[in-house]
Amino acid sequence: MNWRIGWVPFSALLVAQTAQAQSVGYEETLAAARAEQPMLEAGAFRIQARRDAAEAADELPDPRVRAGVMNLPVTGPAAFDPYAQLPTQLAVGVEQEIPNLARRRARYGLAGSEIGIAEARLGLSERSILVDAGTAWIGLYYAQQRLALARDALDGLRDFVPVAVSAVASGSARPAESLAIRRELLEIEDAITRIEAARATARARLQRYIAESEPVAAGAAPRATVDPEGLRFTLEANPQLRLADAEQRRAEAAADLARAEKRPDFGVSVTYGHRNPDFGSAVSVMGSVTLPIFTDRRQNPRIAAAEADAAAASAERVDRLRAIRARFEADLAAWRSAVQQWERARDELLPLAHDRAELETASFAAGRADLVDVIAAKSALALLELEILEREQMAVEAAATLSLTYGEDRP
């Protein structure tokens, strides 16, 4: 049974009137949500910043220039004369620190993990935006459909008002029946008011992601079907889990950096000393090495703390995977429930409501029913059709949320 025959033409006309300037489809909305979004642009800048920083993560420290006077006498006949004695010299030199290779590699690994964290956070932001934009479009689409249906139903019920007035005037109907008819009309009008508010809300949400000032949802809605096993297979690739992996790598890199502090660092310096020409100038070359000899009080506590942080990050990853799986199963159950309620109302309740409306109309024509019974049946049918659209919207939104939240990344 095609229960949308009465309102599809009105909806098609509504969309056709605005399709040229402001209509937008579901896939167009998702594409627009990926482009020119400030949050995604900020995430891309953060990734680039981490990559730029990683390029210098394992570089040597800047060399240090030293200059001054060495062994200058301050007493006696040669006081403050830089050329009077052999050891006195005007010195200038360059000093370079050389951290051990393990420290440099750990720093590079730490910088790389920061890139992974920024990328995972960008993936999370993109999925959040897609879910919000997709459900906003779906909300606008079904608000338009419900509004068209409600207005058609209201117009149909208003056709009965002159009949009711005539029946009351002729004495074939009680005056209270006209009040009952008005009550049914008010119930439809209240539904229209609620739907208009829902449409405005969905439109406002959608305007965040697309350039249209008054967008109209055009085209077909996404299907209310999902592939549970396929989605379950992709849970390991979820951005939340990738973020946990990146955080674990950062903690492990921090532990490597702490352990590298137990290895000695090196340094080298070259100094040129200008002296009295009678003594000749001098060059000095010196090397240095750090001595991590008090590791129990210095390096070991930091290593233990970093290793504890790495163990905590590993445990948090396990917990996050469990949370993702639990939330997925809960969302899957909500989707199944929404689909079942929609299908039950569409396949079982709607035929009953249609039969009631037809029987009441036939009984009224035969003089065995009052007009108010006919209007009540038609009003109940219209309200049920609105409810079925709401249930369909819930099923479609649940399916879209599952696909966009847990599905594979789109190109």
Side-chain angles (χ1 to χ4, degrees), residues 295-334:
T295 57
D296 288 341
R297 290 182 294 174
R298 295 176 181 172
Q299 287 83 8
N300 287 346
R302 288 194 287 268
I303 293 172
E307 289 177 343
D309 285 337
S314 178
E316 288 174 352
R317 184 199 184 277
V318 175
D319 181 75
R320 193 168 299 183
L321 176 59
R322 292 179 179 179
I324 290 172
R325 287 173 174 169
R327 188 168 60 253
F328 170 74
E329 296 299 335
D331 291 344
L332 195 62

Side-chain angles (χ1 to χ4, degrees), residues 151-173:
R151 286 173 175 169
D152 283 348
L154 184 61
D155 291 340
L157 290 178
R158 281 174 177 166
D159 292 339
F160 287 95
V161 173
V163 180
V165 172
S166 299
V168 171
S170 64
S172 60

Side-chain angles (χ1 to χ4, degrees), residues 213-234:
S213 59
E214 294 292 331
V216 172
R223 297 174 61 85
T225 57
V226 297
D227 178 13
E229 293 306 319
L231 293 177
R232 190 176 285 109
F233 182 76
T234 62

Side-chain angles (χ1 to χ4, degrees), residues 221-367:
R223 297 174 61 85
T225 57
V226 297
D227 178 13
E229 293 306 319
L231 293 177
R232 190 176 285 109
F233 182 76
T234 62
L235 291 181
E236 292 283 350
N238 191 276
Q240 291 192 21
L241 203 59
R242 289 206 297 268
L243 176 60
D245 290 335
E247 290 174 345
Q248 183 177 351
R249 287 193 295 270
R250 179 175 62 181
E252 292 171 350
D256 291 340
L257 183 60
R259 285 189 285 267
E261 293 182 2
K262 296 184 72 172
R263 299 188 180 187
D265 295 326
F266 304 92
V268 62
S269 63
V270 178
T271 303
Y272 169 78
H274 177 70
R275 301 187 296 188
N276 187 320
D278 294 336
F279 303 132
S281 298
V283 174
S284 299
V285 179
M286 300 290 293
S288 64
V289 61
T290 61
L291 300 176
I293 56 178
F294 299 105
T295 57
D296 288 341
R297 290 182 294 174
R298 295 176 181 172
Q299 287 83 8
N300 287 346
R302 288 194 287 268
I303 293 172
E307 289 177 343
D309 285 337
S314 178
E316 288 174 352
R317 184 199 184 277
V318 175
D319 181 75
R320 193 168 299 183
L321 176 59
R322 292 179 179 179
I324 290 172
R325 287 173 174 169
R327 188 168 60 253
F328 170 74
E329 296 299 335
D331 291 344
L332 195 62
W335 165 74
R336 288 195 180 104
S337 176
V339 170
Q340 290 171 0
Q341 293 181 59
W342 166 46
E343 292 176 344
R344 186 179 299 115
R346 181 194 62 190
D347 299 336
E348 300 180 24
L349 295 179
L350 185 60
L352 295 176
H354 271 295
D355 292 343
R356 179 194 172 192
E358 292 174 358
L359 290 173
E360 291 291 357
T361 302
S363 297
F364 175 72

